[in-house]
Amino acid sequence: MADQSNEEKTAEGLPPLHGTALVLLTIAVAFSTFMEVLDMTIVNVAVPHIAGSLGVSASEGTWTISSYSLASAIMQPLTGWIARRFGEVKTFVFSVFLFVVFSMMCGLATSMPMLVIARLMQGAGSGPMVALSLTLLLASYPKAKQGIALALWAMTVVVAPIFGPILGGYLTDNFSWPWIFYINLPVGIAAGAITWSLLRKRETKTFQTPIDVIGLVLLVAGVGCLQFMLDNGNDHDWFSSPMITTLGLVALVCLVFLVVWELHAKHPVIDLSLFRQRNFTVGVTALSLGMFAFFGINVVFPLWLQTTLGYTATWAGLATAPVGILAFLLSPLLGRNMHRLELRAVVTFSFIMFAATSYWFSTFDSSASFSSLVLPRFVMGIAIPCFFIPLNQIYLAGLPADQIASASGLANFFRTLGSSVSTAVTVTLWQHRGILHHATLSEYVAPSNPAATQVLQGLRHGGFGQTQALGIADQLVNREALTLAVNDIFWMCTVLFVLLIPVLWFAKPPFGSAGGAVGH
């Protein structure tokens, strides 16, 4: 173990943690990550309750989701700069503290503006948490066990969004919506206290770099407008709305200027030089586009179940949840054997499994039973750890310890952006394909079609008037149209997963025990 201790680059040359201290730190960091990622999805099912309680419309209620993701997306790429300025441990603990305080403020909110401001601040606090949780784990584990650290971290990031809707639905139905925020308090306080007590003497070196004001303004304006556009575009019919068009243009101009400025700034607020590393670029590209396809399935599937097949929020959650079972069981196993595996082959296997299960989903019709829908979700779980864990190692390969926070923050930003773009694109595409299929299927509801005539006659014999019979026929057509549309989305995701496979093989080994993450 002595060799590994010498290799480890902690702030004061301290050896890695072992035994109880390491277990406690892992639990604290894992739970803080779990809590942060959970909060992205836990609110989704509670939006109608929140909107009703605060006297606003359901579409205004979605501000509770978009305000959080907006602030979080802005803070993620800033993680590296903040951590260098104030130290990784202090930044992480303060981030957890802010998250806890504003979680309480969210629960106590009595009006929509109050809740939105609290969610913005909660999102800002949470931004550095996920990236720094990975950085702190890697710095505290012996090199030989860093694969397990990555696996445990990835497991919490993967499982949290799946539990979010189920836990949110349960708390909202059985208690009241503020409890979805109050549950963060004990977890956050314990996580912050444990992390500080174990790591306060292992603080990283700080650098008094000046604030890159122009870069910061461009980042906030660019990412803010982009996230707001993605969250609200669908409600405003995208670029037929002047507001969405303006937001899109502002985002484009700010982000283009941001890239140019940051590449030439003396003290950049985002370290874009990371993209000169081939493995980082390949890893982040595969992660973002893979997340786009994976998240698209996760958004459209429960929506289809609830709006088209008549599932309740709880049952839609239960149909979605089995994807977490194999992911949860396989993550530690994969992490323990990382050094023995060809990581590009592992991710290729995950993309093949994702593609196969997406194709499987694209074959379902509107009469699919609960058990037949659950089976591909269960099988898909095999692919999740094989996707997230090796990709984390690939994009961190060969980076020195002082760049891990920046790299992790930037990668998490692109992962979040992939999710946001995916939500906007897949929901819009689903609706548009639904309208197209509806128009095509409606052509068959004509007097010249014996099957349609038979159905309408049967409805009229059942005591329905002509208008009612046509209304029921329209509902049937709509149900089938939206099912065909959801099949199109799954088919699109299948194609994307297959196209991503060659991208991976541009990554260049060796990837080391933790992707060479803290190698020198």
Side-chain angles (χ1 to χ4, degrees):
M1 274 307 190
D3 306 344
Q4 286 159 357
S5 303
N6 293 337
E7 274 180 16
E8 198 71 36
K9 188 179 179 182
T10 53
E12 298 176 26
L14 296 165
L17 293 175
H18 290 281
T20 313
L22 190 59
V23 172
L24 277 173
L25 179 73
T26 305
I27 292 169
V29 168
F31 268 102
S32 58
T33 309
F34 183 84
M35 187 175 65
E36 193 277 335
V37 181
L38 184 80
D39 258 56
M40 287 197 167
T41 57
I42 197 169
V43 178
N44 296 13
V45 290
V47 165
H49 293 266
I50 293 171
S53 163
L54 299 178
V56 295
S57 69
S59 61
E60 286 175 287
T62 58
W63 277 82
T64 53
I65 302 168
S66 47
S67 54
Y68 180 85
S69 50
L70 178 76
S72 184
I74 290 168
M75 293 302 290
Q76 280 167 348
L78 291 174
T79 302
W81 178 80
I82 297 168
R84 275 195 302 278
R85 182 83 188 241
F86 301 104
E88 287 172 6
V89 180
K90 281 195 196 79
T91 304
F92 178 79
V93 173
F94 188 66
S95 185
V96 173
F97 170 74
L98 277 181
F99 185 81
V100 167
V101 168
F102 287 104
S103 290
M104 189 171 70
M105 296 305 291
C106 288
L108 295 172
T110 53
S111 69
M112 200 62 198
M114 251 179 94
L115 180 59
V116 168
I117 290 165
R119 280 288 277 175
L120 269 170
M121 296 307 294
Q122 189 194 23
S126 80
M129 271 165 64
V130 174
L132 286 176
S133 62
L134 176 60
T135 312
L136 294 177
L137 272 186
L138 284 175
S140 305
Y141 265 71
K143 279 205 88 165
K145 292 185 179 173
Q146 285 178 343
I148 298 172
L150 265 170
L152 292 167
W153 181 84
M155 193 165 69
T156 54
V157 172
V158 168
V159 173
I162 296 155
F163 280 115
I166 300 169
L167 188 60
Y170 177 80
L171 289 169
T172 307
D173 290 341
N174 294 284
F175 298 94
S176 58
W177 67 262
W179 282 97
I180 63 178
F181 299 113
Y182 293 150
I183 58 162
N184 291 334
L185 270 65
V187 178
I189 291 165
I194 292 168
T195 307
W196 181 247
S197 63
L198 290 173
L199 298 183
R200 69 180 187 277
K201 291 179 181 168
R202 294 169 169 263
E203 186 56 279
T204 53
K205 286 180 188 154
T206 55
F207 302 92
Q208 292 301 313
T209 48
I211 297 172
D212 172 17
V213 179
I214 294 174
L216 193 60
V217 170
L218 287 170
L219 175 77
V220 172
V223 174
C225 288
L226 179 63
Q227 188 74 38
F228 191 84
M229 181 190 89
L230 292 170
D231 286 337
N232 296 281
N234 205 36
D235 296 334
H236 294 85
D237 198 20
W238 291 102
F239 296 109
S240 58
S241 154
M243 180 185 76
I244 298 297
T245 308
T246 307
L247 286 169
L249 287 170
V250 172
L252 181 69
V253 170
C254 288
L255 293 175
V256 168
F257 273 98
L258 174 69
V259 171
V260 175
W261 177 264
E262 292 299 280
L263 287 172
H264 297 97
K266 197 173 179 186
H267 300 286
V269 80
I270 308 172
D271 189 2
L272 292 179
S273 66
L274 286 162
F275 284 105
R276 293 191 188 120
Q277 300 271 353
R278 182 204 288 197
N279 286 345
F280 183 79
T281 306
V282 170
V284 169
T285 304
L287 181 69
S288 311
L289 294 175
M291 196 65 192
F292 176 92
F294 172 65
F295 207 79
I297 294 168
N298 280 359
V299 168
V300 174
F301 181 65
L303 259 180
W304 171 61
L305 292 180
Q306 288 178 78
T307 58
T308 313
L309 302 192
Y311 279 57
T312 61
T314 306
W315 276 101
L318 290 171
T320 311
V323 78
I325 298 168
L326 287 175
F328 188 81
L329 296 173
L330 290 174
S331 290
L333 194 68
L334 189 67
R336 202 174 292 128
N337 296 292
M338 276 308 238
H339 55 289
R340 298 192 182 98
L341 300 167
E342 161 56 87
L343 299 190
R344 295 170 300 180
V346 177
V347 185
T348 300
F349 168 74
S350 85
F351 283 154
I352 291 167
M353 288 304 297
F354 274 137
T357 47
S358 301
Y359 179 74
W360 190 352
F361 276 124
S362 75
T363 62
F364 286 121
D365 59 30
S366 61
S367 62
S369 65
F370 179 80
S371 56
S372 65
L373 290 168
V374 161
L375 189 57
R377 287 295 293 178
F378 177 75
V379 174
M380 189 186 265
I382 298 171
I384 291 175
C386 300
F387 167 59
F388 280 98
I389 301 168
L391 274 179
N392 278 316
Q393 282 206 310
I394 287 169
Y395 75 68
L396 293 174
L399 296 178
D402 60 355
Q403 284 192 310
I404 299 290
S406 291
S408 191
L410 207 50
N412 272 300
F413 166 68
F414 280 102
R415 181 175 60 82
T416 307
L417 198 61
S419 309
S420 296
V421 174
S422 177
T423 305
V425 170
T426 50
V427 172
T428 305
L429 203 57
W430 180 46
Q431 290 174 349
H432 283 221
R433 295 293 297 173
I435 293 163
L436 182 76
H437 285 301
H438 190 280
T440 310
L441 293 173
S442 296
E443 291 171 13
Y444 293 96
V445 185
S448 57
N449 187 329
T453 311
Q454 198 179 344
V455 169
L456 290 170
Q457 279 175 353
L459 287 167
R460 281 201 295 274
H461 288 314
F464 292 101
Q466 176 72 7
T467 312
Q468 285 175 311
L470 284 169
I472 292 167
D474 184 61
Q475 282 176 354
L476 287 169
V477 167
N478 206 37
R479 180 183 166 107
E480 296 311 315
L482 287 171
T483 301
L484 287 170
V486 92
N487 289 346
D488 292 343
I489 302 293
F490 290 137
W491 173 243
M492 178 193 80
C493 293
T494 305
V495 172
L496 183 55
F497 282 127
V498 172
L499 292 176
L500 278 173
I501 292 170
V503 174
L504 287 170
W505 292 88
F506 284 101
K508 194 177 177 185
F511 303 117
S513 64
V518 283
H520 317 306

